[in-house]
Amino acid sequence: MARRCELTGKDVMTGNNVSHANNKSRRRFLPNLCNVSLMSDVLGETYKLRISAHALRSVEHRGGLDAFLMKAAESELSPKARLLRTEIRRRQTEAAAAN
């Protein structure tokens, strides 16, 4: 399982541990990933996603999963999130056509 946020694309970064004597050794910076269940208002279902804590705050700030996915860039979404986005978009167009 990749250490990548499914919504923002936040990934593992690399850098150096630097000692007091200025010795450098390689290290990894891991994203703070959380397993969460998010509710889609349009679809009426919950979806389990592995997202970063920062992405969880962003989802709440934008007004829920549906609003976040509609505003997010296609390139940073996981394949699962892309499918979810197309399903939400399809349901929204159906609802707009029915009204």
Side-chain angles (χ1 to χ4, degrees):
M1 178 177 269
R3 294 181 190 266
R4 177 185 293 265
C5 176
E6 292 189 52
L7 296 182
T8 60
K10 190 173 278 200
D11 201 2
V12 176
M13 294 178 66
T14 59
N16 290 316
N17 276 332
V18 181
S19 70
H20 184 69
N22 207 26
N23 298 327
K24 296 172 184 73
S25 59
R26 298 303 284 177
R27 64 161 290 182
R28 295 174 61 178
F29 294 94
L30 301 178
N32 184 11
L33 296 178
C34 311
N35 293 316
V36 296
S37 296
L38 295 174
M39 178 79 175
S40 170
D41 296 329
V42 175
L43 302 177
E45 297 178 27
T46 59
Y47 294 94
K48 289 189 175 192
L49 298 169
R50 192 164 186 231
I51 64 173
S52 64
H54 182 270
L56 185 57
R57 292 183 64 200
S58 298
V59 167
E60 294 298 320
H61 178 75
R62 286 191 185 170
L65 180 63
D66 300 339
F68 182 90
L69 288 173
M70 290 299 114
K71 201 169 182 181
E74 188 80 20
S75 61
E76 59 189 25
L77 294 175
S78 70
K80 181 179 178 180
R82 285 184 193 149
L83 289 174
L84 189 57
R85 179 183 183 169
T86 57
E87 183 66 24
I88 290 169
R89 189 172 280 154
R90 187 179 63 79
R91 288 274 180 93
Q92 285 178 339
T93 55
E94 286 175 359
N99 290 334

